[in-house]
Amino acid sequence: MREFNDIETRNELADFLKIPRKQLSYVLYVKSINNLYTSFEIHKKNGGVRNIKAPLEELKDIQRKLAEALYKHKKKKQGRKNKLSHAFEKNKSIITNAEIHRNKRLVLNIDLENFFESFHFGRVRGFFTKNKNFLLPIEVATIIAQLSCYEGKLPQGAPTSPIISNLICGILDYRLLKITKKYKLNYTRYADDLTFSTNDKNFLNVQTKFYEEISNELIQAGFKINEKKTRLQYKDSRQTVTGLVVNSKINVNRTFYKETRAMAHQLYKQGNFKINSESADLNQLEGRFAFINQLTRYNNQKDGDKHNFYNLSSRELQYQKFLFYKYFFANPKPLIVTEGKTDIVYLKAALKKLYNEYPDLITKDINGTFEFKVSFLKKTKRLGYFLNIQEGGTGLKNINDFFNSNNAKKSAMNYLNYFKTISNTLPQSPVILMFDNEIKSGKKKPIGDFLHHAKVDNEQVDTLKSEHKINIIDNLYLLTVPLIGKSECDIEDLFDNTTLSHKINGKKFIKKDDYDTSKYYGKDIFSKYILDNYLNIDFNNFRSVLDNINNIINIYMKRVVDTGRNIETTKNIDESEKVPLEI
């Protein structure tokens, strides 16, 4: 197989990157690279703006392929693991960068000015012709530089800029490391942020000399130090590395956490919030919560603390509250939660087959692409950790506990009441918990266990038996499959005998979890068969389930429309239902 450093011509580069030769020539010489960018500004956290030069898609696609090839080549040629550079590296982050400088007597931060712009066209081309891991012909190196540079420099916003800047800085990193070892310091670099740290109290005596050597090395490498951002931080003051506090535990600045919590409160109360005075969305807020949680989990692991759903920290409880809000209170689409993951596959396949009959649940555009107007909950590790949502009926039972304080365990907050009270609104869309119809077996089966746990009264149980759906509380509904010639039915019983008896490689389908694999295949394979062949499957018995889903949505949404989501409430939040706000 051809290696990157074996490429000798433009056509060979195009073939190596799996780009049509004519397309590469067209982009380079007809369109012209400088005409294939768009510019925009983003606000910096500390004020000011950052200018981003983003490539248009036809160039961006080529840059992605080039960047991927460079990453692979770097990994193959890298003799030892690089512990110095932490930006734009797999399995590295600002956390791994900060970790090395945790709990140190002194931390020195140096910032480089106009980092990406320091890599001009000649520097990029020269690297690929002279570096021992490439030694490319001038023609190939020139094309790489052309593809990667905008107006003669690496642009901040192109997929190729991170990997090329890291490749060129590789030699610099080891030169700086050599100096830091002489002065007994640790060193890491996160793009343009250079950090040095030590526990050596004698460093202050040689600080000036060290800084002169580092400065000379950076200047020779073509960089300029931003003196305004250069700072030496002492143990008895707050020490930060790439925005993280590193005095003892690695943590976010307390201001960041307070701002995030305030944004969430504003969202819960008014339905919107801002970041840096600009309207923001749930994904941006979740990104902040996820980052805070990542640091919390990191510190728990470092300290040997074993946390789970039953002993979440106050910061984790804030994230838990947000997740309930996102999935179960402000969910823009009706949400269906099933016992198992294969149930979702069956429902999606049935909707795709019967899409003409259920336009409120699914649509199909002129290109044949389906759009589901309902969502299905994916039971992720994150939801398992924060909301105790697992596969099977237990997960659905645990969801109920966040809706109804009368039935909730002490470990679950009544978030439904909390959000209704703080916002004075109803939940946005219904949440439908779907079970197999095994009511006859009582508490032995998931639905019976749920009905007992949720304290569903006998009248409601009778309604469930006859209509296969009930409203538990507000936007929370319970749905079961109909009985098809049996006293109990699960969702697979809705398929006809022809489908259920279908053989794959001579094996028959079996619903049991424990079976002889030489004779049978299980639900995962069966669900894949259903989805792949939905056009030829009889979904007639699924109509009852889909009709009930439709009916639930229409009833709830009519209630929302009639009230405008606004509700009158005089009930104050009980002290036991409040979520801790402080660390």
Side-chain angles (χ1 to χ4, degrees), residues 367-384:
N367 297 318
T369 302
F370 289 102
E371 180 187 352
F372 290 98
K373 295 189 174 182
V374 293
S375 58
F376 299 87
L377 187 69
K378 184 178 180 181
K379 298 170 185 174
T380 62
K381 289 183 179 179
R382 180 170 294 176
L383 292 180

Side-chain angles (χ1 to χ4, degrees), residues 296-550:
T296 301
R297 297 289 292 271
Y298 167 83
N299 287 318
N300 289 344
Q301 292 171 359
K302 283 290 181 182
D303 296 338
D305 294 338
K306 294 183 178 180
H307 283 238
N308 55 40
F309 170 77
Y310 297 101
N311 64 341
L312 299 177
S313 68
S314 59
R315 290 192 174 190
E316 289 176 319
L317 285 172
Q318 289 295 322
Y319 193 16
Q320 179 192 73
K321 179 164 61 170
F322 171 82
L323 289 172
F324 180 90
Y325 179 84
K326 175 184 177 182
Y327 286 98
F328 303 106
F329 192 85
N331 47 309
K333 292 181 180 181
L335 177 68
I336 299 173
V337 189
T338 61
E339 288 186 71
K341 57 185 179 182
T342 54
D343 299 355
I344 295 174
V345 178
Y346 304 146
L347 291 174
K348 285 185 173 181
L351 282 170
K352 289 170 74 172
K353 175 69 176 289
L354 306 173
Y355 75 93
N356 275 324
E357 300 176 35
Y358 299 95
D360 292 336
L361 304 182
I362 186 173
T363 57
K364 183 179 181 181
D365 65 21
I366 57 174
N367 297 318
T369 302
F370 289 102
E371 180 187 352
F372 290 98
K373 295 189 174 182
V374 293
S375 58
F376 299 87
L377 187 69
K378 184 178 180 181
K379 298 170 185 174
T380 62
K381 289 183 179 179
R382 180 170 294 176
L383 292 180
Y385 181 83
F386 285 100
L387 295 172
N388 206 19
I389 298 175
Q390 312 144 11
E391 291 293 344
T394 301
L396 279 65
K397 188 169 68 174
N398 293 336
I399 290 173
N400 171 79
D401 288 345
F402 290 104
F403 279 82
N404 194 338
S405 59
N406 294 326
N407 312 312
K409 299 175 183 177
K410 291 182 180 179
S411 56
M413 303 291 177
N414 184 346
Y415 285 135
L416 173 64
N417 186 65
Y418 174 85
F419 289 123
K420 282 172 60 181
T421 304
I422 194 173
S423 67
N424 197 37
T425 63
L426 290 168
Q428 188 165 332
S429 301
V431 173
I432 304 170
L433 308 180
M434 182 174 171
F435 283 89
D436 291 332
N437 195 334
E438 301 165 320
I439 302 174
K440 185 178 179 181
S441 294
K443 291 191 292 182
K444 294 179 182 179
K445 293 296 177 73
I447 190 168
D449 184 35
F450 179 93
L451 294 171
H452 174 77
H453 177 81
K455 298 180 181 178
V456 177
D457 61 39
N458 292 333
E459 183 179 351
Q460 283 279 74
V461 172
D462 289 340
T463 301
L464 183 63
K465 288 179 179 178
S466 60
E467 299 181 12
H468 309 124
K469 66 179 186 299
I470 56 172
N471 179 217
I472 301 173
I473 183 172
D474 283 315
N475 69 323
L476 186 65
Y477 290 81
L478 183 62
L479 173 69
T480 67
V481 301
L483 296 176
I484 308 295
K486 294 182 178 181
S487 60
E488 293 184 343
C489 282
D490 54 35
I491 193 169
E492 283 85 7
D493 290 322
L494 300 182
F495 292 105
D496 62 1
N497 289 331
T498 301
T499 303
L500 291 172
S501 61
H502 177 81
K503 290 185 178 182
I504 298 178
N505 296 327
K507 299 177 183 180
K508 295 179 65 177
F509 168 59
I510 191 169
K511 291 186 286 185
K512 295 180 180 179
D513 293 328
D514 185 21
Y515 56 89
D516 184 347
T517 56
S518 66
K519 296 180 180 179
Y520 304 101
Y521 65 90
K523 292 183 179 181
D524 285 341
I525 295 176
F526 181 70
S527 65
K528 187 177 184 305
Y529 165 75
I530 296 298
L531 191 59
D532 290 343
N533 299 275
Y534 71 89
L535 288 173
N536 302 315
I537 303 294
D538 182 358
F539 288 105
N540 184 58
N541 290 332
F542 278 79
R543 285 187 170 88
S544 174
V545 175
L546 300 181
D547 287 341
N548 274 338
I549 292 174
N550 226 357

Side-chain angles (χ1 to χ4, degrees), residues 54-115:
L56 300 181
E57 195 58 39
E58 55 187 317
L59 174 60
K60 193 174 186 178
D61 180 60
I62 295 175
Q63 289 178 337
R64 285 196 194 104
K65 292 177 179 178
L66 175 58
E68 183 181 351
L70 290 173
Y71 274 114
K72 288 181 179 178
H73 189 73
K74 178 176 180 284
K75 183 179 180 180
K76 191 176 294 185
K77 294 294 182 179
Q78 193 169 277
R80 52 182 173 172
K81 193 173 181 179
N82 182 354
K83 297 181 181 180
L84 304 178
S85 174
H86 291 258
F88 324 122
E89 300 275 0
K90 189 176 181 180
N91 299 322
K92 291 186 181 181
S93 65
I94 61 173
I95 298 177
T96 60
N97 182 65
E99 179 182 19
I100 296 168
H101 308 288
R102 178 186 178 191
N103 204 22
K104 294 294 190 292
R105 183 186 297 272
L106 298 165
V107 176
L108 173 64
N109 289 324
I110 294 178
D111 182 81
L112 304 179
E113 284 188 1
N114 302 321
F115 180 67

Side-chain angles (χ1 to χ4, degrees), residues 105-168:
R105 183 186 297 272
L106 298 165
V107 176
L108 173 64
N109 289 324
I110 294 178
D111 182 81
L112 304 179
E113 284 188 1
N114 302 321
F115 180 67
F116 284 114
E117 292 182 5
S118 300
F119 301 92
H120 53 75
F121 185 92
R123 190 176 183 184
V124 173
R125 180 170 62 180
F127 171 81
F128 286 107
T129 59
K130 297 175 183 177
N131 183 269
K132 65 178 182 179
N133 291 329
F134 289 93
L135 298 175
L136 295 174
I138 191 70
E139 178 192 3
V140 178
T142 299
I143 293 169
I144 291 175
Q146 286 176 310
L147 291 171
S148 307
C149 292
Y150 171 70
E151 294 184 346
K153 293 169 286 190
L154 287 185
Q156 188 167 351
T160 41
S161 295
I163 176 61
I164 291 176
S165 64
N166 269 353
L167 284 169
I168 295 176

